[in-house]
Amino acid sequence: MATTLEELPAEPFARFVAHANATNEIFLMAAKAVAYVLCRLETEGTEGYKSAMAHFEGPLWWDAVATPDDVTDEAAFRRTLRELLTESWTLLKPLLAPHAPAQCALLDTPAPYAIIVGAFERRNCAVQVASPVEAYFLAVDAMPEGDAKDGVTKVTAPLLDALDAAYSTPCDGTGIFPMQATLNHSCEPNVTLLKEEGAEERDGRVVARLMRDVAAGEELCNAYVDISLPVRRRRRELREYGFECDCARCERELKAADEKKATKADGKRRLK
Ligand SMILES: [Zn+2]
C-alpha cells in the first residue's frame, strides 16, 4: 500500500524486495520471470521474446484474482490490487529497464508485468523439492571410511539423531508449470508434482507422479492446498481459487461433521 512506501529501504533492489515481502511475494517470482523474458530477447531476439511471453498469456493480475469472501466492494478491491501492482512495477522498472533493448515494450507500462503476475496467481503449482538436508547426510554417508568421515560424522550424528525421520522432509516449492496447472484439485489427489532430481533434472521441470493406482478414464487430480488440514479450513483456502470443493472426501467429511453436531445437539436435549 502507498503508506508502506516511505518505510522502504533507499537502495533500489532492497526497496523492490521489501515491498514484495510486505505485500505479495508473487512479485519476487514475477520479477525473475521479467528478467527471464529479457534474457530470451537478448539471446534469441523477437522469437525468443514471443515464446517466453507465451508462458504467461492471460488476464491482468487485478482481474485474475478471485474475490475473497470478506470483500464487499469488488471494484475497490480490484483498484487496490492495481495500485499495489503499479507500485511494484514502479520499483522494478529502474532495476530491469537498463537491460531492456530500446524497442522492447516489456517495462513501458504496468500491463505486461500485470499479465506475468496474473499467470502466477492462476497457474503456479506447489511442487515438492527433495530435501537438501537429506542430500547432505547421504553425501556424508558416501564418504570413504577414515578420519575425515569420522570427524564429519562426529558433528552430523547428533543432528541426524535430533532430526530423526524429519531429515528427509521435502521442501515446498512453487513455480509456473502451464501444463501441470491444468490438473484439477482433489482433497484425495492421485497425482503429486515433484521436481526431478539428480540425473533426471533438466530445465527445472516437474513431473506429475501417480500416488496410487488409477482406473482407466479416472481423472488425474493434484492438491492445491495442504490436504492434512480439516475440511472447513481446506474449503476456505480453496475459495481463493474461485471454487467450492465438492470432492468425495469433502462431502464425506462434511456429512460426518454434520452428523456429529446433530448427535451432540440430540444428547444435550436429552440431558435437559
Ligand atoms: Zn475437497
Side-chain angles (χ1 to χ4, degrees):
M1 303 286 136
T3 46
T4 64
L5 279 179
E6 298 99 61
E7 297 154 24
L8 296 176
E11 197 277 316
F13 180 73
R15 210 169 154 73
F16 171 78
V17 172
H19 177 267
N21 282 334
T23 58
N24 185 351
E25 286 172 350
I26 288 182
F27 293 149
L28 298 174
M29 291 192 286
K32 283 190 184 176
V34 173
Y36 162 76
V37 174
L38 288 176
C39 286
R40 293 282 304 270
L41 176 63
E42 197 179 318
T43 53
E44 298 163 55
T46 318
E47 282 312 304
Y49 177 84
K50 272 194 212 155
S51 110
M53 276 304 278
H55 292 300
F56 306 110
E57 274 164 12
L60 300 156
W61 179 58
W62 50 81
D63 293 327
V65 178
T67 319
D69 278 354
D70 54 353
V71 166
T72 47
D73 186 345
E74 188 175 336
F77 170 67
R78 304 217 175 270
R79 223 166 24 243
T80 308
L81 295 181
R82 193 178 179 141
E83 281 167 17
L84 211 58
L85 183 125
T86 308
E87 279 176 9
S88 180
W89 167 79
T90 310
L91 298 169
L92 181 66
K93 195 176 168 173
L95 296 172
L96 291 180
H99 304 281
Q103 77 280 15
C104 170
L106 186 61
L107 288 158
D108 285 357
T109 67
Y113 182 53
I115 287 170
I116 290 174
V117 178
F120 276 101
E121 181 74 34
R122 293 176 309 119
R123 300 210 293 254
N124 75 326
C125 299
V127 178
Q128 300 252 290
V129 183
S131 163
V133 178
E134 181 182 19
Y136 177 75
F137 285 122
L138 289 175
V140 171
D141 216 35
M143 283 174 77
E145 298 301 328
D147 288 349
K149 184 174 180 174
D150 291 347
V152 174
T153 313
K154 215 184 219 172
V155 180
T156 56
L159 293 173
L160 194 52
D161 284 345
L163 286 167
D164 199 22
Y167 84 97
S168 62
T169 307
C171 302
D172 291 328
T174 185
I176 287 201
F177 302 98
M179 194 167 71
Q180 288 84 343
T182 59
L183 289 167
N184 279 327
H185 164 86
S186 165
C187 300
E188 288 176 308
N190 47 21
V191 153
T192 184
L193 298 181
L194 295 164
K195 183 144 176 324
E196 293 196 303
E197 295 298 328
E200 304 288 304
E201 156 86 85
R202 274 175 297 161
D203 321 328
R205 72 181 55 187
V206 298
V207 286
R209 203 157 285 169
L210 286 178
M211 297 160 77
R212 54 180 158 82
D213 290 341
V214 294
E218 188 182 337
E219 184 180 5
L220 297 181
C221 294
N222 73 327
Y224 296 177
V225 298
D226 182 354
I227 52 167
S228 65
L229 293 171
V231 58
R232 290 185 207 285
R233 174 82 194 280
R234 286 200 314 270
R235 286 166 58 90
R236 198 162 60 232
E237 291 199 0
L238 285 165
R239 269 183 224 129
E240 283 185 26
Y241 291 86
F243 68 93
E244 287 281 346
C245 189
D246 55 2
C247 76
R249 182 179 162 202
C250 278
E251 266 179 33
R252 222 166 45 231
E253 291 181 4
L254 282 175
K255 205 173 142 209
D258 285 348
E259 278 167 8
K260 206 168 148 194
K261 220 160 129 190
T263 321
K264 236 180 176 172
D266 199 32
K268 262 188 195 155
R269 261 199 303 279
R270 259 183 280 139
L271 279 174
K272 275 182 187 167

